[in-house]
Amino acid sequence: MSRMTTEQAIHQALAEEMQRDERVLLVGEGVATKRGDLVRNFGTARVRNTPLAEAIIAGTAVGAAASGLRPVIDLLFAPFLTYAMDALVNSAGKLRYLSGGQFEFPLVAMSMTGSGWCVGAQHNHNLEAMFAHAPGLKVVMPSTVADFKGLLKAAIRDDNPVLFFTDLALLHQEGEVPDVADHLVPLGQAAVRRVGADVTLVSYAKTVGVCLQAAEQLQAQGIAAEVIDLRTLKPLDEATVLRSLRKTGRLVAVTEASGLCGMAAELAALAVTRAFDALRAPVVRLTGPDAPGASSWVLEQAALPTAEAVVEAVQGMLGDAVVVREALATT
Amino acid sequence: MSAVGMTDALRRLEVMLLIRAYEEKLVEFQRGGAPGTCTSVGQEACAVGVVGALESRDRILTNHRSAGHLIARGADPGRLMAEVLGRVDGYCGGRSGSLHISAKELGVVLTSTIVGGELSMAPGVALAQKMGQGEPGGITAVFFGDGAACEGIFHEALNLAVQWQLPLLFVCENNDWQAFVHRRETMPDNAIADWAAGHGLPVVTVDGNDVEAVHAAAREAVAAIRADGRPHFLELVTYRLRGHFEPDDQAYVDADELARWQARDPLQGIADRLLAQGTLDAAGLAQLRDRVAARIEAAAHFAQASAWPDPRTLTHHVYVEQGARP
Ligand SMILES: Cc1ncc(C[n+]2csc(CCOP(=O)(O)OP(=O)(O)O)c2C)c(N)n1
Ligand SMILES: [Mg+2]
C-alpha cells in the first residue's frame, strides 16, 4: 500500500493510463499548466491546454472518441458542464444508439464539485443525477483515495462515455492505495464499507463519511448500521443494495445533491419496487435542499446532511425495536 | 486640497486607490482564512474609466473579477466585504460571496461567474431598455475578459446585438490570462478586435492601464450608442498583476512579462501624470491614500461585525412567492 492524496491518485491514474495506451489524451483549460510532468512524458500533442470553451472541448472529445482516440477532458467545476452538455448528452450519449451501434465514445469527462469552499452555486452544484438521467452515459463519483485511482483507470478503459465527479472536499484527503501494477476498480460495483444488520445507509462521495460517522455513533447505542458506498451511480449496483436491504429491512439514502429526482429517490424506488416485502420501515431520504449552493459558510453547512441527522433518522425508524432491545438487555 | 476642489481626474485616482486598497484587504482576509477572491489588481483603470462614463440610468453586467466595477459604481466597500465574508449585510445577504455580486440598486445586474454568462444575458438587458423598460435612453455595459471571448456565446451575443441594434457597450478587459492559461495559447494576437469587427460593430482598442485614455474612449462610445442605438466594442489592453484566485503563487507566470506590467501599474501612471502636471503634490497624494485607508479600515470593521445569515433562511429567495407582490 502507498499513502497518497486523492489528487495524487487521480494524477497517477492519468499517468499510468497515458503510459499504457497512446490513444489516451488529456484536454482542458490549464491541464498542461497543472500537469507539467505529463507534458514532459507524453508531449504537448497528448496533453493540451485549450481555449476557454467547454462546448468545443467536449464536442472535440466526442468526435475524437468516435474516431479512434480516448480523450479525458477536465471541465474543472461541475456547473461548467452545462456548456458541455450538448456534446455529452446529445452526441456522446445518443449517437451510438441513433447510428444503430456504429460508433463508440470512449471518453471521460472529469469535474469537481461539492460544498465546503464558500464559492457558491456556480462552482458548487452536485448535478451528477442529471447525467445519470441521460441515456448512454455512465456516472462515477468515488469516495476513497484508492477508488479515485482505480475507478478513473477503469473509466478511461471503458468504451462508453463516463462522467467522473470529484468532491472537492475529498481532494486533499489521504488514503492507502494498493501497490499492484494495475489497480482497477470495475464500474458498476458498490462497496460495503461497514457491515451491520439493523439498517442500511447508502451514499456516495463525501457523504459516505457522514454515514460512517453515524454508524459509529449508532454502534454506541447498540444499533448495527451497514454502510454502502455506491461508487458508480450508473450503472447502479442494485444487487448489493438489495442484498443488504433483505437483511436489514431499513434504508436511509443520503446525498449532498438535492432530493427531487435524485439518486436517493432512485434508491427509494429500488427498495419499494424490488424489496417491498423485506421493508420494516418507510425509506428515509436525507438530501440537500432544493436551493442553489450559497457561499456563506453557515448556509453552506446548513444545506449538508449531517451524521446527527442520519442517527436521528435511524433512531426514528428503529424506535420500537430499540426499546425492545433495551428492555431485553435489562432483564 | 479639499473634496470640493477635486478635479475629475483626481476623483478617478481616488477611486482607483480605493479599489486597490479594498482588494489588498481581501487578500489579507484570505490569508486569515476567509474565502479567496479574484482580484482586479492592475485593471483598476478599466473599471474607473468606463464606469465613470456611464449614467445612473445605465446598466452594468460583470463577472468574477467585479470589485472594480462595483466600487467605481459607488458600491459601499463595507457591504462588499460583508458579502465576501458571507455575512448578512452583504449586497446579496451572503449568498453570493465574492464571485456573483449583483447590486440592483446600483444598476449592477446579473453578475455571473460562469465565464460568458454575462455575455449571454447582456443583449436581453439592452433589449428591455430599447423596449422602454427602465429610464429612457439608458444603455447597457457588459464587462468580460479575453477568456470569455473564446466561448461561443461571445459571438452569439455580438451577432444578436448587431442584428437587433441593441444599445450595448461590450467591454473586453484583455489581461492576457485566462485563469492558468496565457492568451497566446488560445487565440491569434489581435483576435479579439478582429473578431468583434467581423461582426460589423465599431471597435476601439485602448491602453487599459491609462485611465484617461479609457475614459475618453468610453465617453465617445457611450455617446455614440445613445445617438445611434447600436452596439459598440471596447477592447482594453491590460494585465492581471495578481494571481487568478487568491491564493495563487503565479509560478506559471513569466517573471519578465509580469515585471514589465508591474512597471506600468495604472495607479502609478495616473499619479505620476497628475504630479507632473502639478494637479497633485506629494502631500495631496498622501492625503488621498490616508482617506482611502481609513475608509477601508472602517469597511473591514463593519464587515467583520456583521452577523452570519440565519440558517433557517437557507431556502429563502429560491422562488418568487406568487401573490406576494401587489
Ligand atoms: C464556463 C466557465 N469555465 C471556466 C470557468 C473557470 N474560470 C473562472 S475565471 C476563468 C478565466 C477567465 O478568463 P477571462 O475571461 O480572460 O477573465 P479574467 O479572469 O482574466 O478576468 C476561468 C477559466 C468558469 N468560471 N466558467
Ligand atoms: Mg483574462
Side-chain angles (χ1 to χ4, degrees), chain A residues 29 52 54 76-77 80 83 123, chain B residues 38 43 63-65 113-115 144-149 151 173 175 177-179 240 244:
Chain A
E29 296 155 16
L52 211 176
E54 293 74 12
L76 307 178
F77 288 91
F80 314 160
Y83 270 161
H123 285 75
Chain B
C38 293
Q43 301 176 218
N63 60 9
H64 53 285
R65 216 173 289 288
T113 191
I114 297 295
V115 172
F144 57 95
D146 48 302
E151 296 278 6
E173 290 183 35
N175 66 4
W177 283 101
Q178 306 173 2
R240 193 190 75 197
H244 169 56

PDB file of all heavy atoms in Angstrom, chain A residues 29 52 54 76-77 80 83 123, chain B residues 38 43 63-65 113-115 144-149 151 173 175 177-179 240 244, ligand 1:
ATOM      1  N   GLU A  29      -8.861  23.292 -19.916  1.00  0.00           N
ATOM      2  CA  GLU A  29      -8.361  24.623 -19.591  1.00  0.00           C
ATOM      3  C   GLU A  29      -7.324  24.515 -18.484  1.00  0.00           C
ATOM      4  O   GLU A  29      -7.671  24.324 -17.332  1.00  0.00           O
ATOM      5  CB  GLU A  29      -9.526  25.516 -19.135  1.00  0.00           C
ATOM      6  CG  GLU A  29     -10.556  25.759 -20.215  1.00  0.00           C
ATOM      7  CD  GLU A  29     -11.943  26.105 -19.661  1.00  0.00           C
ATOM      8  OE1 GLU A  29     -12.065  26.449 -18.473  1.00  0.00           O
ATOM      9  OE2 GLU A  29     -12.903  26.017 -20.446  1.00  0.00           O
ATOM     10  N   LEU A  52     -10.796  28.791 -23.576  1.00  0.00           N
ATOM     11  CA  LEU A  52     -11.828  28.708 -22.542  1.00  0.00           C
ATOM     12  C   LEU A  52     -13.167  28.466 -23.243  1.00  0.00           C
ATOM     13  O   LEU A  52     -13.880  29.421 -23.562  1.00  0.00           O
ATOM     14  CB  LEU A  52     -11.830  30.042 -21.775  1.00  0.00           C
ATOM     15  CG  LEU A  52     -12.203  30.047 -20.307  1.00  0.00           C
ATOM     16  CD1 LEU A  52     -12.032  31.447 -19.746  1.00  0.00           C
ATOM     17  CD2 LEU A  52     -13.577  29.525 -20.051  1.00  0.00           C
ATOM     18  N   GLU A  54     -15.923  25.282 -23.159  1.00  0.00           N
ATOM     19  CA  GLU A  54     -16.315  23.929 -22.774  1.00  0.00           C
ATOM     20  C   GLU A  54     -17.072  23.199 -23.863  1.00  0.00           C
ATOM     21  O   GLU A  54     -16.938  21.982 -24.032  1.00  0.00           O
ATOM     22  CB  GLU A  54     -17.175  23.964 -21.506  1.00  0.00           C
ATOM     23  CG  GLU A  54     -16.434  24.414 -20.264  1.00  0.00           C
ATOM     24  CD  GLU A  54     -16.143  25.902 -20.217  1.00  0.00           C
ATOM     25  OE1 GLU A  54     -16.724  26.645 -21.043  1.00  0.00           O
ATOM     26  OE2 GLU A  54     -15.332  26.317 -19.384  1.00  0.00           O
ATOM     27  N   LEU A  76     -13.090  21.197 -15.147  1.00  0.00           N
ATOM     28  CA  LEU A  76     -12.915  21.975 -13.899  1.00  0.00           C
ATOM     29  C   LEU A  76     -14.078  21.786 -12.940  1.00  0.00           C
ATOM     30  O   LEU A  76     -14.112  20.797 -12.235  1.00  0.00           O
ATOM     31  CB  LEU A  76     -12.683  23.453 -14.214  1.00  0.00           C
ATOM     32  CG  LEU A  76     -11.539  23.734 -15.203  1.00  0.00           C
ATOM     33  CD1 LEU A  76     -11.428  25.241 -15.489  1.00  0.00           C
ATOM     34  CD2 LEU A  76     -10.220  23.212 -14.679  1.00  0.00           C
ATOM     35  N   PHE A  77     -15.037  22.710 -12.922  1.00  0.00           N
ATOM     36  CA  PHE A  77     -16.130  22.619 -11.942  1.00  0.00           C
ATOM     37  C   PHE A  77     -17.423  22.141 -12.602  1.00  0.00           C
ATOM     38  O   PHE A  77     -17.745  22.548 -13.730  1.00  0.00           O
ATOM     39  CB  PHE A  77     -16.340  23.967 -11.260  1.00  0.00           C
ATOM     40  CG  PHE A  77     -15.227  24.298 -10.308  1.00  0.00           C
ATOM     41  CD1 PHE A  77     -14.117  25.011 -10.736  1.00  0.00           C
ATOM     42  CD2 PHE A  77     -15.254  23.846  -8.997  1.00  0.00           C
ATOM     43  CE1 PHE A  77     -13.071  25.289  -9.862  1.00  0.00           C
ATOM     44  CE2 PHE A  77     -14.212  24.119  -8.124  1.00  0.00           C
ATOM     45  CZ  PHE A  77     -13.118  24.837  -8.555  1.00  0.00           C
ATOM     46  N   PHE A  80     -19.822  24.035 -14.922  1.00  0.00           N
ATOM     47  CA  PHE A  80     -19.391  24.385 -16.282  1.00  0.00           C
ATOM     48  C   PHE A  80     -19.778  23.288 -17.272  1.00  0.00           C
ATOM     49  O   PHE A  80     -19.714  23.480 -18.495  1.00  0.00           O
ATOM     50  CB  PHE A  80     -17.877  24.631 -16.365  1.00  0.00           C
ATOM     51  CG  PHE A  80     -17.312  25.506 -15.283  1.00  0.00           C
ATOM     52  CD1 PHE A  80     -15.956  25.477 -14.986  1.00  0.00           C
ATOM     53  CD2 PHE A  80     -18.116  26.360 -14.547  1.00  0.00           C
ATOM     54  CE1 PHE A  80     -15.424  26.273 -13.977  1.00  0.00           C
ATOM     55  CE2 PHE A  80     -17.596  27.163 -13.533  1.00  0.00           C
ATOM     56  CZ  PHE A  80     -16.246  27.109 -13.252  1.00  0.00           C
ATOM     57  N   TYR A  83     -22.336  23.967 -20.213  1.00  0.00           N
ATOM     58  CA  TYR A  83     -21.892  24.400 -21.558  1.00  0.00           C
ATOM     59  C   TYR A  83     -21.531  23.187 -22.422  1.00  0.00           C
ATOM     60  O   TYR A  83     -21.589  23.250 -23.643  1.00  0.00           O
ATOM     61  CB  TYR A  83     -20.655  25.289 -21.451  1.00  0.00           C
ATOM     62  CG  TYR A  83     -20.878  26.774 -21.324  1.00  0.00           C
ATOM     63  CD1 TYR A  83     -19.862  27.590 -20.827  1.00  0.00           C
ATOM     64  CD2 TYR A  83     -22.054  27.393 -21.742  1.00  0.00           C
ATOM     65  CE1 TYR A  83     -20.013  28.960 -20.715  1.00  0.00           C
ATOM     66  CE2 TYR A  83     -22.212  28.766 -21.629  1.00  0.00           C
ATOM     67  CZ  TYR A  83     -21.194  29.547 -21.113  1.00  0.00           C
ATOM     68  OH  TYR A  83     -21.334  30.902 -21.007  1.00  0.00           O
ATOM     69  N   HIS A 123     -20.086  27.242  -8.817  1.00  0.00           N
ATOM     70  CA  HIS A 123     -18.977  26.276  -8.743  1.00  0.00           C
ATOM     71  C   HIS A 123     -19.394  25.019  -7.984  1.00  0.00           C
ATOM     72  O   HIS A 123     -18.848  23.955  -8.209  1.00  0.00           O
ATOM     73  CB  HIS A 123     -17.768  26.876  -8.019  1.00  0.00           C
ATOM     74  CG  HIS A 123     -17.007  27.863  -8.837  1.00  0.00           C
ATOM     75  ND1 HIS A 123     -17.456  29.131  -9.078  1.00  0.00           N
ATOM     76  CD2 HIS A 123     -15.830  27.763  -9.493  1.00  0.00           C
ATOM     77  CE1 HIS A 123     -16.575  29.777  -9.834  1.00  0.00           C
ATOM     78  NE2 HIS A 123     -15.586  28.970 -10.098  1.00  0.00           N
TER      79      HIS A 123
ATOM     80  N   CYS B  38     -11.074  36.643  -6.763  1.00  0.00           N
ATOM     81  CA  CYS B  38     -10.378  37.019  -7.994  1.00  0.00           C
ATOM     82  C   CYS B  38     -10.163  38.528  -7.927  1.00  0.00           C
ATOM     83  O   CYS B  38     -11.130  39.281  -8.063  1.00  0.00           O
ATOM     84  CB  CYS B  38     -11.231  36.695  -9.216  1.00  0.00           C
ATOM     85  SG  CYS B  38     -11.498  34.937  -9.506  1.00  0.00           S
ATOM     86  N   GLN B  43      -5.982  46.296 -13.028  1.00  0.00           N
ATOM     87  CA  GLN B  43      -7.027  46.591 -14.013  1.00  0.00           C
ATOM     88  C   GLN B  43      -7.967  47.706 -13.540  1.00  0.00           C
ATOM     89  O   GLN B  43      -9.040  47.902 -14.112  1.00  0.00           O
ATOM     90  CB  GLN B  43      -7.836  45.309 -14.306  1.00  0.00           C
ATOM     91  CG  GLN B  43      -6.972  44.178 -14.840  1.00  0.00           C
ATOM     92  CD  GLN B  43      -7.717  42.859 -15.041  1.00  0.00           C
ATOM     93  OE1 GLN B  43      -7.150  41.809 -14.773  1.00  0.00           O
ATOM     94  NE2 GLN B  43      -8.954  42.886 -15.498  1.00  0.00           N
ATOM     95  N   ASN B  63     -18.569  40.095 -14.006  1.00  0.00           N
ATOM     96  CA  ASN B  63     -18.226  38.677 -13.844  1.00  0.00           C
ATOM     97  C   ASN B  63     -17.530  38.428 -12.506  1.00  0.00           C
ATOM     98  O   ASN B  63     -17.753  39.150 -11.553  1.00  0.00           O
ATOM     99  CB  ASN B  63     -17.365  38.244 -15.038  1.00  0.00           C
ATOM    100  CG  ASN B  63     -16.070  39.063 -15.124  1.00  0.00           C
ATOM    101  OD1 ASN B  63     -15.729  39.816 -14.224  1.00  0.00           O
ATOM    102  ND2 ASN B  63     -15.355  38.895 -16.212  1.00  0.00           N
ATOM    103  N   HIS B  64     -16.680  37.417 -12.477  1.00  0.00           N
ATOM    104  CA  HIS B  64     -15.986  37.040 -11.245  1.00  0.00           C
ATOM    105  C   HIS B  64     -15.005  38.117 -10.764  1.00  0.00           C
ATOM    106  O   HIS B  64     -14.664  38.155  -9.605  1.00  0.00           O
ATOM    107  CB  HIS B  64     -15.232  35.734 -11.475  1.00  0.00           C
ATOM    108  CG  HIS B  64     -14.331  35.798 -12.685  1.00  0.00           C
ATOM    109  ND1 HIS B  64     -14.822  35.736 -13.974  1.00  0.00           N
ATOM    110  CD2 HIS B  64     -12.998  35.960 -12.807  1.00  0.00           C
ATOM    111  CE1 HIS B  64     -13.817  35.845 -14.830  1.00  0.00           C
ATOM    112  NE2 HIS B  64     -12.702  35.983 -14.149  1.00  0.00           N
ATOM    113  N   ARG B  65     -14.510  38.935 -11.679  1.00  0.00           N
ATOM    114  CA  ARG B  65     -13.497  39.943 -11.309  1.00  0.00           C
ATOM    115  C   ARG B  65     -14.178  41.305 -11.269  1.00  0.00           C
ATOM    116  O   ARG B  65     -13.916  42.178 -12.086  1.00  0.00           O
ATOM    117  CB  ARG B  65     -12.358  39.908 -12.346  1.00  0.00           C
ATOM    118  CG  ARG B  65     -10.981  40.158 -11.772  1.00  0.00           C
ATOM    119  CD  ARG B  65      -9.868  39.941 -12.791  1.00  0.00           C
ATOM    120  NE  ARG B  65      -9.661  38.554 -13.149  1.00  0.00           N
ATOM    121  CZ  ARG B  65      -9.117  37.626 -12.360  1.00  0.00           C
ATOM    122  NH1 ARG B  65      -8.682  37.973 -11.167  1.00  0.00           N
ATOM    123  NH2 ARG B  65      -8.980  36.378 -12.759  1.00  0.00           N
ATOM    124  N   THR B 113     -20.505  34.218 -12.573  1.00  0.00           N
ATOM    125  CA  THR B 113     -19.126  33.739 -12.568  1.00  0.00           C
ATOM    126  C   THR B 113     -18.932  32.596 -13.559  1.00  0.00           C
ATOM    127  O   THR B 113     -17.838  32.077 -13.710  1.00  0.00           O
ATOM    128  CB  THR B 113     -18.672  33.350 -11.143  1.00  0.00           C
ATOM    129  OG1 THR B 113     -17.283  33.139 -11.143  1.00  0.00           O
ATOM    130  CG2 THR B 113     -19.354  32.093 -10.673  1.00  0.00           C
ATOM    131  N   ILE B 114     -20.020  32.217 -14.227  1.00  0.00           N
ATOM    132  CA  ILE B 114     -19.867  31.330 -15.382  1.00  0.00           C
ATOM    133  C   ILE B 114     -19.300  32.203 -16.497  1.00  0.00           C
ATOM    134  O   ILE B 114     -19.950  33.169 -16.917  1.00  0.00           O
ATOM    135  CB  ILE B 114     -21.223  30.729 -15.813  1.00  0.00           C
ATOM    136  CG1 ILE B 114     -21.798  29.847 -14.699  1.00  0.00           C
ATOM    137  CG2 ILE B 114     -21.082  29.950 -17.118  1.00  0.00           C
ATOM    138  CD1 ILE B 114     -21.003  28.607 -14.356  1.00  0.00           C
ATOM    139  N   VAL B 115     -18.087  31.897 -16.936  1.00  0.00           N
ATOM    140  CA  VAL B 115     -17.464  32.745 -17.952  1.00  0.00           C
ATOM    141  C   VAL B 115     -18.363  32.769 -19.193  1.00  0.00           C
ATOM    142  O   VAL B 115     -18.735  31.723 -19.721  1.00  0.00           O
ATOM    143  CB  VAL B 115     -16.055  32.226 -18.305  1.00  0.00           C
ATOM    144  CG1 VAL B 115     -15.489  32.984 -19.497  1.00  0.00           C
ATOM    145  CG2 VAL B 115     -15.135  32.359 -17.100  1.00  0.00           C
ATOM    146  N   PHE B 144     -16.247  41.790 -19.582  1.00  0.00           N
ATOM    147  CA  PHE B 144     -15.839  40.379 -19.655  1.00  0.00           C
ATOM    148  C   PHE B 144     -14.350  40.338 -20.005  1.00  0.00           C
ATOM    149  O   PHE B 144     -13.757  41.363 -20.348  1.00  0.00           O
ATOM    150  CB  PHE B 144     -16.679  39.629 -20.698  1.00  0.00           C
ATOM    151  CG  PHE B 144     -16.616  40.241 -22.070  1.00  0.00           C
ATOM    152  CD1 PHE B 144     -15.713  39.771 -23.017  1.00  0.00           C
ATOM    153  CD2 PHE B 144     -17.448  41.302 -22.406  1.00  0.00           C
ATOM    154  CE1 PHE B 144     -15.650  40.349 -24.280  1.00  0.00           C
ATOM    155  CE2 PHE B 144     -17.385  41.892 -23.663  1.00  0.00           C
ATOM    156  CZ  PHE B 144     -16.481  41.412 -24.601  1.00  0.00           C
ATOM    157  N   GLY B 145     -13.767  39.141 -19.942  1.00  0.00           N
ATOM    158  CA  GLY B 145     -12.331  39.004 -20.185  1.00  0.00           C
ATOM    159  C   GLY B 145     -12.008  38.444 -21.558  1.00  0.00           C
ATOM    160  O   GLY B 145     -12.901  38.079 -22.327  1.00  0.00           O
ATOM    161  N   ASP B 146     -10.710  38.360 -21.841  1.00  0.00           N
ATOM    162  CA  ASP B 146     -10.259  37.756 -23.097  1.00  0.00           C
ATOM    163  C   ASP B 146     -10.634  36.283 -23.143  1.00  0.00           C
ATOM    164  O   ASP B 146     -10.894  35.736 -24.221  1.00  0.00           O
ATOM    165  CB  ASP B 146      -8.751  37.918 -23.264  1.00  0.00           C
ATOM    166  CG  ASP B 146      -7.974  37.531 -22.010  1.00  0.00           C
ATOM    167  OD1 ASP B 146      -8.224  38.129 -20.948  1.00  0.00           O
ATOM    168  OD2 ASP B 146      -7.143  36.606 -22.098  1.00  0.00           O
ATOM    169  N   GLY B 147     -10.684  35.637 -21.982  1.00  0.00           N
ATOM    170  CA  GLY B 147     -11.082  34.225 -21.958  1.00  0.00           C
ATOM    171  C   GLY B 147     -12.518  34.054 -22.406  1.00  0.00           C
ATOM    172  O   GLY B 147     -12.840  33.137 -23.174  1.00  0.00           O
ATOM    173  N   ALA B 148     -13.375  34.948 -21.953  1.00  0.00           N
ATOM    174  CA  ALA B 148     -14.788  34.862 -22.327  1.00  0.00           C
ATOM    175  C   ALA B 148     -14.963  34.983 -23.841  1.00  0.00           C
ATOM    176  O   ALA B 148     -15.908  34.439 -24.410  1.00  0.00           O
ATOM    177  CB  ALA B 148     -15.586  35.946 -21.605  1.00  0.00           C
ATOM    178  N   ALA B 149     -14.009  35.699 -24.472  1.00  0.00           N
ATOM    179  CA  ALA B 149     -14.096  35.853 -25.927  1.00  0.00           C
ATOM    180  C   ALA B 149     -13.860  34.522 -26.648  1.00  0.00           C
ATOM    181  O   ALA B 149     -14.121  34.404 -27.849  1.00  0.00           O
ATOM    182  CB  ALA B 149     -13.103  36.912 -26.407  1.00  0.00           C
ATOM    183  N   GLU B 151     -15.369  31.741 -25.669  1.00  0.00           N
ATOM    184  CA  GLU B 151     -16.618  30.974 -25.590  1.00  0.00           C
ATOM    185  C   GLU B 151     -17.476  31.303 -26.817  1.00  0.00           C
ATOM    186  O   GLU B 151     -17.531  32.455 -27.262  1.00  0.00           O
ATOM    187  CB  GLU B 151     -17.404  31.340 -24.323  1.00  0.00           C
ATOM    188  CG  GLU B 151     -16.708  31.003 -23.000  1.00  0.00           C
ATOM    189  CD  GLU B 151     -16.875  29.537 -22.585  1.00  0.00           C
ATOM    190  OE1 GLU B 151     -17.427  28.735 -23.365  1.00  0.00           O
ATOM    191  OE2 GLU B 151     -16.443  29.208 -21.458  1.00  0.00           O
ATOM    192  N   GLU B 173     -11.893  43.327 -21.089  1.00  0.00           N
ATOM    193  CA  GLU B 173     -10.648  43.605 -20.379  1.00  0.00           C
ATOM    194  C   GLU B 173      -9.683  42.485 -20.731  1.00  0.00           C
ATOM    195  O   GLU B 173      -9.733  41.395 -20.161  1.00  0.00           O
ATOM    196  CB  GLU B 173     -10.892  43.684 -18.870  1.00  0.00           C
ATOM    197  CG  GLU B 173     -11.678  44.915 -18.484  1.00  0.00           C
ATOM    198  CD  GLU B 173     -11.871  45.053 -16.967  1.00  0.00           C
ATOM    199  OE1 GLU B 173     -10.970  44.682 -16.196  1.00  0.00           O
ATOM    200  OE2 GLU B 173     -12.947  45.543 -16.571  1.00  0.00           O
ATOM    201  N   ASN B 175      -6.591  40.921 -20.357  1.00  0.00           N
ATOM    202  CA  ASN B 175      -5.484  40.952 -19.373  1.00  0.00           C
ATOM    203  C   ASN B 175      -4.484  39.832 -19.602  1.00  0.00           C
ATOM    204  O   ASN B 175      -3.706  39.492 -18.715  1.00  0.00           O
ATOM    205  CB  ASN B 175      -6.053  40.899 -17.950  1.00  0.00           C
ATOM    206  CG  ASN B 175      -6.740  39.573 -17.653  1.00  0.00           C
ATOM    207  OD1 ASN B 175      -6.745  38.654 -18.471  1.00  0.00           O
ATOM    208  ND2 ASN B 175      -7.311  39.456 -16.457  1.00  0.00           N
ATOM    209  N   TRP B 177      -4.538  36.766 -19.448  1.00  0.00           N
ATOM    210  CA  TRP B 177      -4.653  35.500 -18.726  1.00  0.00           C
ATOM    211  C   TRP B 177      -6.087  34.986 -18.715  1.00  0.00           C
ATOM    212  O   TRP B 177      -7.039  35.765 -18.624  1.00  0.00           O
ATOM    213  CB  TRP B 177      -4.139  35.636 -17.281  1.00  0.00           C
ATOM    214  CG  TRP B 177      -2.654  35.646 -17.255  1.00  0.00           C
ATOM    215  CD1 TRP B 177      -1.849  36.735 -17.139  1.00  0.00           C
ATOM    216  CD2 TRP B 177      -1.798  34.504 -17.419  1.00  0.00           C
ATOM    217  NE1 TRP B 177      -0.529  36.353 -17.210  1.00  0.00           N
ATOM    218  CE2 TRP B 177      -0.463  34.987 -17.384  1.00  0.00           C
ATOM    219  CE3 TRP B 177      -2.003  33.135 -17.599  1.00  0.00           C
ATOM    220  CZ2 TRP B 177       0.643  34.138 -17.512  1.00  0.00           C
ATOM    221  CZ3 TRP B 177      -0.911  32.294 -17.722  1.00  0.00           C
ATOM    222  CH2 TRP B 177       0.390  32.793 -17.683  1.00  0.00           C
ATOM    223  N   GLN B 178      -6.183  33.694 -18.814  1.00  0.00           N
ATOM    224  CA  GLN B 178      -7.470  33.002 -18.734  1.00  0.00           C
ATOM    225  C   GLN B 178      -7.261  31.928 -17.664  1.00  0.00           C
ATOM    226  O   GLN B 178      -6.890  30.803 -17.966  1.00  0.00           O
ATOM    227  CB  GLN B 178      -7.820  32.420 -20.108  1.00  0.00           C
ATOM    228  CG  GLN B 178      -7.770  33.525 -21.172  1.00  0.00           C
ATOM    229  CD  GLN B 178      -7.926  33.054 -22.592  1.00  0.00           C
ATOM    230  OE1 GLN B 178      -8.121  31.870 -22.856  1.00  0.00           O
ATOM    231  NE2 GLN B 178      -7.845  33.989 -23.539  1.00  0.00           N
ATOM    232  N   ALA B 179      -7.419  32.340 -16.422  1.00  0.00           N
ATOM    233  CA  ALA B 179      -7.045  31.521 -15.270  1.00  0.00           C
ATOM    234  C   ALA B 179      -5.562  31.152 -15.382  1.00  0.00           C
ATOM    235  O   ALA B 179      -4.715  32.040 -15.304  1.00  0.00           O
ATOM    236  CB  ALA B 179      -7.952  30.311 -15.127  1.00  0.00           C
ATOM    237  N   ARG B 240      -3.258  41.183 -15.631  1.00  0.00           N
ATOM    238  CA  ARG B 240      -3.650  40.750 -14.292  1.00  0.00           C
ATOM    239  C   ARG B 240      -2.393  40.672 -13.427  1.00  0.00           C
ATOM    240  O   ARG B 240      -1.583  39.778 -13.621  1.00  0.00           O
ATOM    241  CB  ARG B 240      -4.304  39.361 -14.417  1.00  0.00           C
ATOM    242  CG  ARG B 240      -5.053  38.881 -13.194  1.00  0.00           C
ATOM    243  CD  ARG B 240      -5.423  37.407 -13.355  1.00  0.00           C
ATOM    244  NE  ARG B 240      -4.252  36.567 -13.166  1.00  0.00           N
ATOM    245  CZ  ARG B 240      -4.154  35.291 -13.549  1.00  0.00           C
ATOM    246  NH1 ARG B 240      -5.154  34.689 -14.161  1.00  0.00           N
ATOM    247  NH2 ARG B 240      -3.041  34.611 -13.327  1.00  0.00           N
ATOM    248  N   HIS B 244      -4.870  34.358 -10.360  1.00  0.00           N
ATOM    249  CA  HIS B 244      -6.249  34.212 -10.826  1.00  0.00           C
ATOM    250  C   HIS B 244      -7.234  34.317  -9.668  1.00  0.00           C
ATOM    251  O   HIS B 244      -8.216  35.045  -9.726  1.00  0.00           O
ATOM    252  CB  HIS B 244      -6.403  32.870 -11.537  1.00  0.00           C
ATOM    253  CG  HIS B 244      -7.825  32.504 -11.821  1.00  0.00           C
ATOM    254  ND1 HIS B 244      -8.661  33.326 -12.547  1.00  0.00           N
ATOM    255  CD2 HIS B 244      -8.573  31.429 -11.460  1.00  0.00           C
ATOM    256  CE1 HIS B 244      -9.859  32.768 -12.619  1.00  0.00           C
ATOM    257  NE2 HIS B 244      -9.837  31.628 -11.965  1.00  0.00           N
TER     258      HIS B 244
HETATM  259  C1  LIG C   1     -17.781  28.421 -18.131  1.00  0.00           C
HETATM  260  C2  LIG C   1     -16.629  28.571 -17.213  1.00  0.00           C
HETATM  261  N1  LIG C   1     -15.494  27.918 -17.493  1.00  0.00           N
HETATM  262  C3  LIG C   1     -14.432  28.012 -16.679  1.00  0.00           C
HETATM  263  C4  LIG C   1     -14.506  28.780 -15.556  1.00  0.00           C
HETATM  264  C5  LIG C   1     -13.317  28.866 -14.601  1.00  0.00           C
HETATM  265  N2  LIG C   1     -12.715  30.186 -14.761  1.00  0.00           N
HETATM  266  C6  LIG C   1     -13.113  31.218 -13.993  1.00  0.00           C
HETATM  267  S1  LIG C   1     -12.414  32.645 -14.476  1.00  0.00           S
HETATM  268  C7  LIG C   1     -11.559  31.881 -15.694  1.00  0.00           C
HETATM  269  C8  LIG C   1     -10.687  32.678 -16.579  1.00  0.00           C
HETATM  270  C9  LIG C   1     -11.450  33.735 -17.256  1.00  0.00           C
HETATM  271  O1  LIG C   1     -10.606  34.427 -18.116  1.00  0.00           O
HETATM  272  P1  LIG C   1     -11.073  35.814 -18.685  1.00  0.00           P
HETATM  273  O2  LIG C   1     -12.401  35.703 -19.317  1.00  0.00           O
HETATM  274  O3  LIG C   1      -9.963  36.327 -19.525  1.00  0.00           O
HETATM  275  O4  LIG C   1     -11.262  36.730 -17.390  1.00  0.00           O
HETATM  276  P2  LIG C   1     -10.161  37.082 -16.292  1.00  0.00           P
HETATM  277  O5  LIG C   1     -10.223  36.022 -15.274  1.00  0.00           O
HETATM  278  O6  LIG C   1      -8.857  37.164 -16.957  1.00  0.00           O
HETATM  279  O7  LIG C   1     -10.610  38.389 -15.744  1.00  0.00           O
HETATM  280  C10 LIG C   1     -11.832  30.526 -15.724  1.00  0.00           C
HETATM  281  C11 LIG C   1     -11.245  29.569 -16.658  1.00  0.00           C
HETATM  282  C12 LIG C   1     -15.722  29.431 -15.286  1.00  0.00           C
HETATM  283  N3  LIG C   1     -15.891  30.175 -14.180  1.00  0.00           N
HETATM  284  N4  LIG C   1     -16.758  29.325 -16.135  1.00  0.00           N
END
